[in-house]
Amino acid sequence: YESHDPIIIKHGVEGNSAENPLIIEGYEITNPGGPCIFIENIEYVIIRNNYLHDCGIDFSAELIANNPRDDNCLGGGTDFMETGALNLFRVGSVKIYGNKLENNDYGIKVEGFDSKVNGVEIFNNTIHKSHRNHFLWIKDAQNVLIYNNDIRHNGLSEFFDNTALARIFAGEDLGCMDGRSQGIAVHASDNVKIYNNYILNSSSDGIGIMDTPGDPYVSENPSRNIEIYDNEVVENGEQGIWLAGAHNVSIYRNKVYQSKARANESGGSSGIMLETDSVDVNIFENDIYYNEIELPKYLDPVYGGRTIEGTRCVSLMFRDLYGYDRARAFINLIAESDPVITPEKN
């Protein structure tokens, strides 16, 4: 790699086209006080074969040093334009591949904002030891491919603000969540394929498919037409795979195992969880095993009229799906050692 200063581009590049994209490659970049690469308002972008490390880590270090463990917003809140390894905002078409990311405050984020990014391909990257908030995050995009990425050990335990999280679930509006995040997070995006990724030990779910960020129990702009297959999702801090506002989803041939509660917390830790407005979901030919769940009382979930607090080794959970008729799931292969909880029609 060639050592390079941080790359910040916030305006269009002359002559940028599909045939002449902006290319950033072959650099080693570090920037403890801010982002390593930030791109805005560029139509065609390729970022490949770079080493990005220790980007924005002064922000997370300051939070850890100056905030108490149960502060309301510990882990949340730093503008992604000011920190992290690789952020692309209001871009047109993106390829990100062959990059090595290690020990950054935030990881990779691609966001369309006022129009959808049309064509996102992210593959063959390693994303290790990001601190908080996003590790590989896509928002407001369409025609997305995420494959062959190695995503491990993302999310520092200092940002698991369990006290604030319990208060939020109890109904308080604190204005932010804690710094937990999915290994791969997709918000309000369409025509997405996620495959052949290895996702280990994220602070929240391994893979999350969601509506626009905000209230996780109110669906306004669901993600649509999603395929999740041939991934290995291991020992993540909440669900292995979580849907909350996702339509027309197929989940198949994944290995999802050893999902676990986050440090010092009893929380949802199923293999696959569907909730909120998750519609037309097909789940088949997955290996789902050795997942643990210990539900806290403040969630008080009810499955078909049955509260199951304290149940362990749950493979599949369904909750708050706006009526069972709208939540159609087809399960062909579940490990025999793992009981399955499914909703009953009331």
Side-chain angles (χ1 to χ4, degrees):
Y1 302 104
E2 177 185 348
S3 181
H4 199 284
D5 290 337
I7 297 172
I8 313 295
I9 303 174
K10 295 188 176 182
H11 303 285
V13 174
E14 185 176 354
N16 182 253
S17 66
E19 294 74 29
N20 185 34
L22 171 68
I23 299 176
I24 298 173
E25 69 174 324
Y27 296 131
E28 177 179 353
I29 304 176
T30 184
N31 182 17
C36 281
I37 297 176
F38 179 85
I39 305 296
E40 182 177 0
N41 294 319
I42 306 294
E43 190 68 19
Y44 298 97
V45 181
I46 296 175
I47 299 176
R48 63 192 181 199
N49 302 326
N50 300 284
Y51 176 34
L52 310 178
H53 62 93
D54 302 297
C55 309
I57 59 173
D58 288 352
F59 287 95
S60 52
E62 183 178 3
L63 280 169
I64 292 169
N66 296 323
N67 282 337
R69 179 65 176 76
D70 60 351
D71 183 65
N72 289 349
C73 293
L74 181 62
T78 307
D79 191 325
F80 75 93
M81 298 182 185
E82 298 178 0
T83 187
L86 175 53
N87 295 301
L88 292 91
F89 186 59
R90 288 179 168 148
V91 291
S93 178
V94 175
K95 285 188 177 181
I96 300 171
Y97 61 93
N99 300 285
K100 179 180 178 181
L101 281 68
E102 188 167 10
N103 193 44
N104 300 295
D105 187 17
Y106 297 179
I108 294 174
K109 184 173 185 178
V110 178
E111 180 176 346
F113 189 66
D114 43 10
S115 64
K116 288 188 181 295
V117 182
N118 186 13
V120 177
E121 192 171 2
I122 300 177
F123 61 98
N124 292 349
N125 301 283
T126 62
I127 305 170
H128 294 177
K129 300 180 181 178
S130 308
H131 294 185
R132 61 188 176 121
N133 281 46
H134 64 254
F135 310 139
L136 199 171
W137 189 350
I138 307 297
K139 180 176 179 287
D140 296 327
Q142 60 188 4
N143 303 317
V144 177
L145 300 175
I146 301 172
Y147 60 95
N148 293 351
N149 298 287
D150 187 302
I151 302 170
R152 305 186 189 209
H153 304 304
N154 291 288
L156 295 180
S157 61
E158 287 87 348
F159 295 119
F160 303 162
D161 189 353
N162 298 316
T163 300
L165 188 64
R167 291 170 61 191
I168 290 166
F169 276 113
E172 291 189 58
D173 182 6
L174 302 183
C176 68
M177 297 291 278
D178 60 2
R180 64 197 172 121
S181 190
Q182 292 78 23
I184 296 175
V186 175
H187 289 270
S189 297
D190 303 328
N191 306 324
V192 179
K193 293 185 177 182
I194 300 172
Y195 58 96
N196 288 341
N197 299 284
Y198 182 79
I199 306 164
L200 169 68
N201 191 31
S202 306
S203 57
S204 182
D205 318 294
I207 298 172
I209 309 297
M210 294 153 281
D211 199 324
T212 302
D215 186 341
Y217 304 114
V218 176
S219 180
E220 296 178 351
N221 187 18
S223 296
R224 301 176 186 273
N225 305 325
I226 312 295
E227 286 188 73
I228 302 171
Y229 59 96
D230 292 335
N231 300 284
E232 189 166 359
V233 185
V234 189
E235 202 173 310
N236 291 281
E238 295 187 82
Q239 326 310 327
I241 298 173
W242 181 49
L243 306 185
H247 291 195
N248 190 25
V249 182
S250 293
I251 301 173
Y252 57 97
R253 295 200 311 259
N254 300 283
K255 293 179 67 177
V256 184
Y257 57 98
Q258 295 179 342
S259 301
K260 57 182 173 51
R262 296 185 295 146
N264 303 314
E265 179 200 341
S266 56
S269 304
S270 59
I272 299 175
M273 182 174 182
L274 284 62
E275 60 181 322
T276 315
D277 186 20
S278 295
V279 177
D280 291 322
V281 179
N282 297 276
I283 303 173
F284 58 95
E285 296 181 5
N286 299 281
D287 290 328
I288 309 172
Y289 55 93
Y290 297 132
N291 298 290
E292 176 183 75
I293 180 164
E294 191 169 343
L295 297 174
K297 291 183 178 180
Y298 58 78
L299 284 176
D300 193 26
V302 176
Y303 300 80
R306 293 172 295 132
T307 301
I308 59 164
E309 293 177 11
T311 302
R312 302 176 71 82
C313 297
V314 176
S315 288
L316 292 162
M317 291 169 37
F318 303 78
R319 183 165 64 122
D320 298 333
L321 288 166
Y322 295 173
Y324 181 54
D325 286 338
R326 299 195 65 199
R328 297 178 285 278
F330 306 92
I331 299 99
N332 293 340
L333 177 61
I334 303 297
E336 291 182 359
S337 61
D338 243 1
V340 177
I341 302 295
T342 57
E344 297 173 353
K345 207 168 181 180
N346 292 326

